[in-house]
Amino acid sequence: MPRFLYCTLVAGLLIGSPTLAQQPAPARYRVQNPAAQSFVEGQVINARTKRGLPGVTVLVKGTRNGATSMSKGYFQLELKAEHQTLVFSSIGCVTRELIMRPGQTVVPTIALESDRR
């Protein structure tokens, strides 16, 4: 059998193999308790211009879990517990905190003011 045909046959078997395609994900990538996790999303704006602020750091207080706002100030963040505080910070702006209510999935628009020091 020509080498090209042999390689094509072997590649086809590997790609279509149910044993390779259906292996479970490693434990570190599996959701342990899906009911305890939720996503929140919102927008951060400049208090004076009312325009979206890119590059704002949004952290869950006391953890390393966080996100950065995109070009128009929108962000999405995964929460792993119900009662958590979000901290919004950016260079040249006053830091703000927001306490999340249980079941809250949308953050009201957060306006950051310039730090006038």
Side-chain angles (χ1 to χ4, degrees):
M1 190 171 351
R3 185 178 185 116
F4 174 75
L5 186 57
Y6 177 75
C7 291
T8 305
L9 179 62
V10 170
L13 288 174
L14 288 176
I15 292 171
S17 173
T19 57
L20 291 177
Q22 296 176 358
Q23 290 181 354
R28 65 180 175 196
Y29 297 117
R30 282 187 237 142
V31 176
Q32 300 298 330
N33 183 2
Q37 294 183 336
S38 64
F39 285 92
V40 295
E41 53 188 29
Q43 184 182 26
V44 184
I45 63 170
N46 182 305
R48 187 176 56 80
T49 65
K50 307 297 185 222
R51 296 183 121 182
L53 277 176
V56 175
T57 302
V58 184
L59 288 173
V60 178
K61 191 173 188 175
T63 71
R64 298 171 116 187
N65 186 21
T68 303
S69 63
M70 303 306 273
S71 63
K72 294 187 179 183
Y74 291 101
F75 69 92
Q76 184 179 33
L77 180 65
E78 182 180 8
L79 293 182
K80 297 182 179 169
E82 289 190 9
H83 296 284
Q84 293 189 334
T85 301
L86 299 182
V87 180
F88 299 85
S89 63
S90 182
I91 295 174
C93 294
V94 177
T95 300
R96 287 197 53 193
E97 293 187 3
L98 175 70
I99 299 172
M100 298 296 295
R101 295 186 309 266
Q104 184 176 356
T105 58
V106 178
V107 173
T109 302
I110 300 295
L112 292 185
E113 297 178 2
S114 295
D115 188 7
R116 299 181 187 154
R117 291 187 218 179

